[in-house]
């Protein structure tokens, strides 16, 4: 199996596993699902560090956007806790 | 196609699950599909500008020209891979015109010509050729150090990540040998003149990386393929 197929398969399996486990544990907060999916995406992308430079640049862009989304969610959660809602 | 499909399916499924079905896990599945879809699109856009067929034609052309030169000169000796410090900026392979078995005494910089003298004797002559490994060294971001881990990382980066020629590479280093095991190689060793002299393209790449990392000349001692793995033994000359 080629390295790109392995990478996509790893992402798909991780997403399936995370969503299934969170659903089975009764989690009902969408922010938790998205945050954990983004963390898994960032970890798996980091593990495939030896992809070619053009692929890395493209994946780094997606990772940066995902990370920005993750930070926004964290900030919103912190603000929610601070405001005591 | 797969990427666009996943993005579209996710973009339809996520709001549908959140607002109509009212299911958070299914919404998360839709969002995951969008992330994976964008990743597929990004990877598809990084495919090389030149087709695989065009690359194969160019590789074969270069190999056949070098093979014709070797056959015409009747050279059967195994090539010695020299680090860039011993050549003009990039590593090259040296094929001795006479097999004396004592090519180990190369110590000085070899001039950047096709026919070169590597020793003090009259028959210490060789031809210097560029191999697939010589070109690939320039693709490394940093020069690997003289440890098995660094050689393995550089070989994995080039063979698996950059060229997609193998599934994985394992390198073990001893005093005068580099033992490499390449899993799932896409270019096998063939018993042809070119490969007997310069090794297969995979062995050539490993030899070029090893000589550059160790800063010493390297020769492909043995190369065999069995059970989906290529075993390559490189002799480190000093």
């Amino acid at each position: 199996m080629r390295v790109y197929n392995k990478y996509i398969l790893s992402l798909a399996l991780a997403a399936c596993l995370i969503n299934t486990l969170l659903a089975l544990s009764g989690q009902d907060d969408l922010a938790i699902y998205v945050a954990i999916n983004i963390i898994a995406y960032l970890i798996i992308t980091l593990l495939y560090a030896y992809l070619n430079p053009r692929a890395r640049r493209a994946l780094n862009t997606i990772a940066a956007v995902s990370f920005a989304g993750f930070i926004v969610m964290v900030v919103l959660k912190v603000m929610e806790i601070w405001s005591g809602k | 196609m797969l990427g666009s499909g996943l993005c579209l399916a996710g973009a339809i499924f996520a709001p549908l699950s959140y607002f109509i079905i009212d299911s958070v896990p299914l919404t998360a599945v839709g969002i995951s599909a969008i992330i994976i879809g964008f990743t597929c699109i990004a990877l598809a856009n990084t495919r090389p500008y030149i087709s695989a067929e065009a690359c194969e034609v160019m590789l074969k052309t270069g190999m056949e020209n070098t093979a014709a030169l070797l056959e015409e000169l009747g050279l059967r000796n195994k090539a010695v891979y020299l680090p860039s410090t011993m050549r003009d900026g990039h590593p090259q392979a040296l094929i001795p015109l006479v097999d004396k078995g004592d090519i180990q005494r190369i110590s000085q910089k070899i001039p950047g010509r096709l026919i070169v003298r590597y020793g003090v004797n009259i028959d210490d002559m060789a031809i210097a050729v560029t191999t697939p490994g010589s070109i690939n060294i320039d693709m490394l971001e940093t020069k690997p150090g003289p440890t098995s881990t660094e050689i393995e990382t550089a070989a994995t980066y080039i063979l698996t990540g950059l060229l997609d020629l193998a599934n994985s590479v394992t390198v073990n280093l001893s005093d005068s040998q580099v033992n490499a095991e390449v899993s799932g190689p896409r270019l096998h060793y063939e018993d042809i003149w070119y490969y007997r002299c310069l090794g297969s393209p995979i062995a050539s790449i490993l030899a070029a990386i090893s000589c550059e990392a160790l800063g010493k000349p390297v020769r492909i001692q043995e190369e065999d393929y069995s059970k989906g793995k290529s075993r390559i033994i490189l002799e480190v000359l000093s």
Side-chain angles (χ1 to χ4, degrees):
Chain A
M1 192 186 287
R2 304 243 160 152
V3 67
Y4 297 98
N5 299 344
K6 268 190 201 169
Y7 172 64
I8 294 292
L9 200 66
S10 311
L11 286 180
L13 284 175
C16 283
L17 198 71
I18 288 164
N19 291 334
T20 309
L21 287 176
L22 287 176
L24 287 175
S25 67
Q27 183 57 248
D28 208 30
D29 187 350
L30 185 61
I32 301 286
Y33 281 87
V34 176
I36 295 177
N37 271 297
I38 288 174
I39 291 168
Y41 174 82
L42 294 174
I43 291 171
I44 293 170
T45 305
L46 272 179
L47 289 175
Y48 284 80
Y50 48 80
L51 295 177
N52 80 55
R54 282 196 297 154
R56 276 240 63 85
R57 271 196 295 275
L59 293 178
N60 285 345
T61 309
I62 297 177
V65 173
S66 308
F67 187 68
F70 173 74
I71 294 293
V72 167
M73 277 190 309
V74 170
V75 169
L76 288 175
K77 211 72 179 166
V78 169
M79 284 168 68
E80 195 181 301
I81 292 165
W82 270 352
S83 63
K85 284 182 186 171
Chain B
M1 192 67 193
L2 172 73
S4 313
L6 280 170
C7 279
L8 191 69
I12 294 168
F13 191 65
L16 201 75
S17 309
Y18 194 72
F19 296 111
I20 297 169
I21 306 172
D22 198 22
S23 165
V24 169
L26 289 180
T27 311
V29 170
I31 293 168
S32 302
I34 295 172
I35 294 174
I36 296 171
F38 273 117
T39 307
C40 291
I41 293 171
L43 289 179
N45 288 335
T46 60
R47 287 179 66 192
Y49 301 120
I50 309 167
S51 70
E53 289 76 14
C55 296
E56 196 180 347
V57 166
M58 282 187 265
L59 176 69
K60 277 195 175 169
T61 310
M63 274 171 55
E64 285 194 13
N65 284 334
T66 310
L69 179 71
L70 298 176
E71 284 186 42
E72 196 61 33
L73 293 171
L75 298 181
R76 290 175 182 278
N77 307 321
K78 282 188 183 273
V80 174
Y81 285 81
L82 300 180
S84 57
T85 48
M86 293 174 83
R87 286 291 293 168
D88 284 345
H90 63 271
Q92 274 194 315
L94 212 64
I95 307 161
L97 297 181
V98 181
D99 185 21
K100 291 162 59 182
D102 61 348
I103 199 163
Q104 304 226 2
R105 61 188 146 80
I106 306 170
S107 54
Q108 58 195 26
K109 198 172 174 179
I110 309 278
R113 299 170 60 184
L114 175 68
I115 300 167
V116 293
R117 179 183 294 281
Y118 62 87
V120 287
N121 295 332
I122 195 86
D123 54 354
D124 287 345
M125 300 289 283
I127 62 162
V129 292
T130 300
T131 64
S134 316
I135 305 294
N136 281 304
I137 285 292
D138 296 336
M139 295 173 177
L140 287 171
E141 284 162 7
T142 51
K143 184 185 160 183
T147 62
S148 59
T149 316
E150 284 176 271
I151 296 172
E152 188 177 299
T153 307
T156 304
Y157 175 71
I158 286 187
L159 291 175
T160 308
L162 216 57
L163 302 176
D164 201 14
L165 281 177
N167 290 342
S168 65
V169 185
T170 315
V171 174
N172 289 306
L173 191 62
S174 66
D175 290 342
S176 60
Q177 270 192 350
V178 177
N179 294 296
E181 197 173 79
V182 182
S183 299
R186 252 77 83 184
L187 284 169
H188 302 153
Y189 179 80
E190 292 169 45
D191 194 20
I192 56 172
W193 201 306
Y194 180 91
Y195 283 10
R196 282 197 294 268
C197 272
L198 289 155
S200 68
I202 288 180
S204 162
I205 291 166
L206 276 166
I209 292 169
S210 303
C211 76
E212 197 60 23
L214 300 167
K216 290 176 180 175
V218 158
R219 180 160 45 196
I220 300 167
Q221 197 176 54
E222 203 182 310
E223 194 177 348
D224 63 64
Y225 175 81
S226 64
K227 294 174 187 168
K229 285 182 180 176
S230 271
R231 205 170 131 265
I232 296 157
I233 301 174
L234 307 172
E235 181 190 2
V236 181
L237 311 172
S238 49

